[in-house]
Amino acid sequence: MAINLINTPEWHALAAHAEAFGNRHLRELFAADGQRFEHFSLRQGDLLLDFSKQRVGADTLDLLHRLAAAADIPGWTAKMRAGETINHTEGRAVLHIALRAPQGSPDARPEVAAVLDRLRSFCHRIHDDTWRGFSGQRITDVVNIGIGGSDLGPRMAVRALAARQQPDLKLHFVSNVDGADLAGTLAGLNPRTTLFIVASKTFTTLETMANACSARDWLVAAAGSQAAVARHFVAVSTNLKATSDFGIPPENVFEFWDWVGGRFSLWSAIGLPLALAIGFQQFEELLAGAHAMDEHFFSAPAAENLPLTLALLDLWNTDFLDACSHAVLPYSQSLGLLPAYLEQLEMESNGKQVNREGQPVGVATAPILWGEAGTSGQHSFYQLLHQGGRLIPCDFILLKEADFPLPGHHEQLLANCLAQSAALAFGQTEEEARAAGASAALAPYKVFPGNQPSSTLVLPALSPFALGQLVALYEHKVFCLGILWGINSFDQWGVELGKQLAGRLTPMLAGKGGDALFDASTRGLMAALRQS
Ligand code: F6P
């Protein structure tokens, strides 16, 4: 049973500490400790986390770690690794760590190795052109049809590792039920050379099924025969009956298991688009990077543990400094989809107000996560970060080495990242603005309050290994936060009501059935949409 931490002496001690310490300015904290960077930074392998610009002191960390000890994170980690049904509302284990555990590791599972072998051989057949379409032509384009966890991970990772893309194979992603998504993608493709991956854990998700059926119609219309489906469709799913009912032969189905949550499934066969994009060997490097982070999370002492540290900083910012939003700002165009990926990972996991005992959590949980690649974001919303008066902790992510080196670009990118985190932390007083030449009239507009907390993650380069480390870091952070808030991070009941209502409204839009049970607004909108 999880304990409700907000009633513990550890929580009360943090609340008292926040009263006394919470408003201290980062300028003051840096002035008081010339070695603040050394004291507040950690490494895992080549990955560096600088959290010296977070609004914490050594005593804050000490109190946060006491809270973590009360939450028994090692105990919950052991339950996860033992395959206990810690996703209790769905009666499921949570074992995505097994997907990246090498053979011989205590977390490895034989069924995972068997599917990886099949994926490896499938990738080879696509890459060496032995897998051919219905007309005998080689495959040039792969379209992943999936949504949520069956889309965001591979989509983000394919873009992140674009510098390592295999030649002669283009990857496309379709998720939205809006016909513009599929039609726009198919418009540029040749059915003879296109392979579809239908990726869905349940194989019942409305958007994915609608897109898969339309894609199948497109293919069959061109091929003139249903038999072409077996050459152009593969599936990734836990639901083997539904994939077979759809017409995908069992040898084209790559299985995963109910103990893999959708938003934790990049490492499973859901990663197939990525394996096709970068080659299977590099996909295995991604798994190795994630596994290295798993090992670190399981074995590093609390004070040196990166995922736990990030979780405690989030908790501090959210529940003690009252931040309700969190920006992720990768200074890497290739990591531009990371914020969208993390939106699902963090908000679908921890955007909950009921704890494991069915009681209110009692404090704020997952902050609203958002963000965009720097430097583009600097020219849109950074104004608000600097002078909007809201506390918005930021994660800056940067690469020591550029993945697309062009003379002078990377230095400018890195300089901008460091400039922004420094400006957010230390700001500018009115006196400083005047000293820099601002007139008396304009000086008030040039005041930057600063004290905006941030962490900076430095990756040596955007390798598959480093990406694996980075994503697993966030996964374990999410896990720790779930334990600290006493919630189940692995269900998602909050998405169900809207799905049910959409299921009832869809036939009504086609004129079938009355809408009397709906509210006046929905009825009015329905009438407006039905008018010819
Ligand atoms: O609607 C939410 C959700 O269930 C996510 O949790 C999941 O990643 C997504 O839908 C897609 O589900 P599936 O892989 O079963 O199609």
Side-chain angles (χ1 to χ4, degrees), residues 2 74 117 124 163 178 187 206 247 279 281 326 328 355-356 360-361 376 380 417 424 433 454 512:
D117 282 345
H124 288 158
D178 182 342
L206 179 144
Q281 196 183 334
H326 182 150
V328 175
N355 68 17
R356 284 183 168 273
V361 175
S376 305
S380 64
C417 182
L424 287 167
S454 72
K512 293 179 202 146

Side-chain angles (χ1 to χ4, degrees), residues 388-406:
R390 292 173 197 272
L391 183 71
I392 304 180
C394 304
D395 288 357
F396 290 95
I397 301 172
L398 43 83
L399 314 176
K400 197 169 167 197
E401 206 180 285
D403 51 351
F404 287 96
L406 286 180

Side-chain angles (χ1 to χ4, degrees), residues 147-153 261-265 338-351 369 478 489 492:
I147 198 163
S150 300
D151 166 74
L152 290 163
R263 51 194 175 272
F264 299 87
S265 64
L338 185 70
Y341 171 79
L342 295 177
E343 280 172 11
Q344 187 199 18
L345 179 64
E346 300 223 2
M347 297 200 281
E348 198 174 71
S349 297
N350 287 336
L369 188 143
V478 163
S489 302
Q492 54 285 316

Side-chain angles (χ1 to χ4, degrees), residues 35 122 153 201 225 282 343 346 428:
Q35 289 197 303
F122 179 70
K201 180 174 172 180
S225 159
Q282 294 200 84
E343 280 172 11
E346 300 223 2
Q428 176 169 270

Side-chain angles (χ1 to χ4, degrees), residues 94-320:
V94 175
L95 282 170
H96 48 275
I97 51 161
L99 300 168
R100 58 238 189 172
Q103 282 179 26
S105 139
D107 299 312
R109 297 187 149 230
E111 62 269 43
V112 171
V115 172
L116 284 175
D117 282 345
R118 291 189 56 227
L119 287 170
R120 182 184 297 108
S121 105
F122 179 70
C123 288
H124 288 158
R125 288 178 72 195
I126 295 290
H127 291 145
D128 69 11
D129 298 338
T130 50
W131 181 292
R132 301 227 161 208
F134 68 84
S135 68
Q137 288 177 257
R138 59 177 287 272
I139 299 297
T140 59
D141 293 87
V142 177
V143 181
N144 189 78
I145 298 179
I147 198 163
S150 300
D151 166 74
L152 290 163
R155 189 195 284 261
M156 173 276 292
V158 165
R159 171 148 162 211
L161 300 173
R164 293 155 184 269
Q165 166 81 48
Q166 295 265 326
D168 306 327
L169 191 66
K170 285 205 200 77
L171 273 295
H172 311 263
F173 291 86
V174 170
S175 60
N176 201 327
V177 75
D178 182 342
D181 201 1
L182 181 67
T185 304
L186 296 184
L189 299 180
N190 177 353
R192 286 158 199 79
T193 58
T194 300
L195 177 85
F196 293 95
I197 302 171
V198 186
S200 175
K201 180 174 172 180
T202 55
F203 227 75
T204 57
T205 302
L206 179 144
E207 295 90 334
T208 301
M209 289 303 108
N211 281 323
C213 289
S214 297
R216 186 179 53 188
D217 292 347
W218 177 80
L219 173 80
V220 171
S225 159
Q226 202 70 27
V229 173
R231 305 303 308 155
H232 291 266
F233 273 78
V234 301
V236 179
S237 187
T238 60
N239 186 348
L240 304 189
K241 170 154 189 334
T243 55
S244 153
D245 291 348
F246 183 88
I248 301 181
E251 61 275 19
N252 289 12
V253 180
F254 301 97
E255 192 188 357
F256 65 114
W257 306 275
D258 71 356
W259 41 262
V260 182
R263 51 194 175 272
F264 299 87
S265 64
L266 169 64
W267 328 99
S268 71
I270 288 290
L272 176 58
L274 177 65
L276 286 170
I278 61 173
F280 201 77
Q281 196 183 334
Q282 294 200 84
F283 181 68
E284 289 184 305
E285 288 170 26
L286 175 97
L287 301 184
H291 178 68
M293 185 55 74
D294 295 342
E295 294 278 284
H296 166 84
F297 175 57
F298 299 152
S299 61
E304 293 162 27
N305 200 300
L306 266 72
L308 176 60
T309 301
L310 282 186
L312 292 173
L313 293 169
D314 268 19
L315 185 94
W316 170 249
N317 287 330
T318 304
D319 292 323
F320 297 98

Side-chain angles (χ1 to χ4, degrees), residues 4 6-7 352-363 365 485-487:
N4 189 341
I6 66 172
N7 297 325
K352 295 165 189 169
Q353 277 294 295
V354 174
N355 68 17
R356 284 183 168 273
E357 277 67 52
Q359 301 300 317
V361 175
V363 292
T365 57
W485 283 317
I487 58 186

